[in-house]
Amino acid sequence: MPGNTSVTYQGPGDVELVDAGYPEFVLRDGPGVPPENVGRQVRHGAIVKPVATNICGSDQHMVRGRTTAPHGLVLGHEITGEVVEVGPDVEVIKVGDLVSVPFNIACGRCRNCKAGDTHICQRVNPAQPGGAYGYVDMGGWPGGQAEYVLTPYADWNLLRFPDRDQAMAKILDLAMLTDIFPTGYHGCVSAGVTSGSTVYIAGAGPVGLAAAVSALFLGAAVVIVGDLNEQRLEQARRFGCEAVNVGQGEPGELVEQVLGVPEVDCAVDAVGFEARGHGEDTATERPASVLNALMATTRAGGRLGIPGLYVTGDPGAADEAAREGSLSIRFGLGWARAHTFVTGQCPVMRYHRKLMTTILNDRVSIADAVNATVLPLTEARRGYEEFDRGAARKYVLDPHGMIPA
């Protein structure tokens, strides 16, 4: 039986490689596994050998110690790989298939899954609706920054690429289908982006850049990306966005410099709870600053897509309210302007097949837009450290050396 070198969270700022053991078709006890999930049979699952497994900003929140993630948790929810084993109840997925694994774990059987809301499946996580690989409070399913990973409900969850050689030639683009491309796209769809829209996207990290790509793909007339990191803003400029440094003023003021008016049709929050202030107030965390700025900058009747992560437990928050996810949001402003807010994880399965088709038919190059950068699994710590320092890159781990040079 092969080993299973895996990237694990060992405390704030500390990731280590350990042998987590080769997966079985059962969910064993381990870090973060709810008692109700211990011993759960996964006859419907597949064991996947990751070809590409990405570092996500959501992983970074945990590694910074900004969640209640348990020590020893195997990280990684952005998994693309080859099926090496299938459980006895799997009928469609076959050994040798190259697949994209949605970061949402969904059963396909419950009321929410049948409604297409696979991000809030009712059966994979006893604690609350919604499950994910390698993430805090998401059911205890081990992550895929590893040599092997168990993926439950394989026939339902896994997206098979139709041609292996074609997929491997575009593997860095396809690796973004597990999370950030659908998440950015979902943010834009939720915000009502369409032909001729003016759009403000808060955050030029990988999800924000994926949202910017999506907004252009959906036909937006002007896409304005705001961030404090000039290297990331330059990434947005490279593929046709306007980019503004929010350290130089409030977003509405900067939007007015671009559009001539201080408001946009649609807005996307790709920052989340670790937001900082704007203008002269960037040195301090202001977890509600982005949401409040988007309400002030989006026209009356506009929509706000909010794929940026907000949590119910933040041990590193600056005040007691924020530690419980309570933020000083100007909800009255949003109410007065009749804004629509769409929050929560992206239901990846709603979008990933059609986004796969756009990649395979050369309609979009998402890997270039987010500056995908490949590292071996053994350099995961380096990836986390550089990403934490603001590197304008999307780090893709290659556990088996399978990604073409």
Side-chain angles (χ1 to χ4, degrees):
M1 190 70 69
N4 187 20
T5 301
S6 306
V7 180
T8 61
Y9 169 67
Q10 297 295 342
D14 187 11
V15 295
E16 294 182 11
L17 294 175
V18 304
D19 186 346
Y22 189 79
E24 304 173 73
F25 291 105
V26 61
L27 185 55
R28 300 293 188 192
D29 195 7
V33 181
E36 302 91 331
N37 260 359
V38 174
R40 183 169 180 162
Q41 296 297 309
V42 191
R43 295 167 56 88
H44 42 66
I47 296 172
V48 170
K49 174 183 176 180
V51 173
T53 177
N54 311 336
I55 295 175
C56 179
S58 298
D59 298 321
Q60 197 73 65
H61 292 308
M62 289 189 291
V63 171
R64 288 187 186 124
R66 298 300 299 269
T67 73
T68 55
H71 294 193
L73 179 70
V74 178
L75 299 168
H77 56 269
E78 300 190 10
I79 309 159
T80 308
E82 177 185 0
V83 175
V84 294
E85 287 190 56
V86 296
D89 291 348
V90 175
E91 298 180 353
V92 178
I93 291 294
K94 306 298 183 187
V95 170
D97 285 348
L98 196 63
V99 297
S100 178
V101 184
F103 81 88
N104 322 114
I105 301 175
C107 71
R109 296 154 166 80
C110 71
R111 174 178 179 173
N112 287 345
C113 284
K114 289 184 177 182
D117 294 325
T118 54
H119 56 311
I120 44 174
C121 174
Q122 296 170 305
R123 298 190 67 245
V124 297
N125 182 5
Q128 62 190 40
Y133 302 91
Y135 208 78
V136 58
D137 296 333
M138 288 284 105
W141 301 91
Q145 288 175 14
E147 294 178 294
Y148 300 94
V149 61
L150 173 66
T151 60
Y153 301 101
D155 283 337
W156 169 249
N157 283 304
L158 303 186
L159 174 66
R160 186 180 69 85
F161 300 135
D163 183 276
R164 183 185 180 92
D165 291 340
Q166 181 191 32
M168 286 302 298
K170 295 181 179 294
I171 192 65
L172 287 182
D173 291 299
L174 294 171
M176 306 305 152
L177 287 175
T178 64
D179 183 352
I180 67 164
F181 193 12
T183 293
Y185 189 85
H186 176 63
C188 290
V189 169
S190 300
V193 177
T194 187
S195 302
S197 297
T198 58
V199 186
Y200 177 72
I201 295 170
V207 170
L209 293 173
V213 169
S214 300
L216 292 170
F217 183 73
L218 288 165
V222 182
V223 178
I224 305 169
V225 180
D227 202 291
L228 294 166
N229 185 319
E230 278 295 338
Q231 286 185 312
R232 291 179 172 180
L233 290 173
E234 186 56 34
Q235 281 289 112
R237 293 186 188 103
R238 283 176 50 188
F239 58 87
C241 299
E242 301 286 341
V244 296
N245 190 320
V246 294
Q248 298 173 359
E250 291 294 325
E253 299 168 352
L254 302 173
V255 164
E256 186 170 20
Q257 293 174 18
V258 176
L259 297 177
V261 293
E263 62 181 22
V264 291
D265 297 320
C266 320
V268 177
D269 174 3
V271 178
F273 74 105
E274 286 194 73
R276 294 188 176 273
H278 303 122
E280 297 180 355
D281 189 29
T282 60
T284 307
E285 277 197 13
R286 297 280 187 261
S289 64
V290 170
L291 292 173
N292 288 332
L294 294 194
M295 286 186 276
T297 309
T298 304
R299 67 171 177 82
R303 300 172 63 94
L304 280 64
I306 309 173
L309 176 67
Y310 290 87
V311 295
T312 56
D314 175 8
D319 59 68
E320 194 61 39
R323 289 189 187 99
E324 298 178 352
S326 296
L327 310 181
S328 298
I329 297 171
R330 297 183 63 195
F331 190 73
L333 175 61
W335 188 93
R337 304 192 77 172
H339 286 154
T340 297
F341 301 80
V342 181
T343 67
Q345 296 179 5
C346 167
V348 170
M349 292 178 69
R350 195 178 297 175
Y351 308 109
H352 67 172
R353 183 175 297 276
K354 59 186 176 184
L355 294 179
M356 174 187 73
T357 305
T358 69
I359 290 170
L360 294 178
N361 287 281
D362 300 316
R363 294 283 290 150
V364 66
S365 182
I366 186 68
D368 284 345
V370 300
N371 195 15
T373 301
V374 179
L375 293 176
L377 192 69
T378 53
E379 294 191 36
R381 177 188 287 272
R382 171 190 157 194
Y384 274 100
E385 290 174 348
E386 293 183 2
F387 191 34
D388 191 46
R389 291 196 295 267
R393 299 175 182 273
K394 174 67 175 177
Y395 287 101
V396 178
L397 302 178
D398 181 2
H400 299 277
M402 296 177 69
I403 298 177

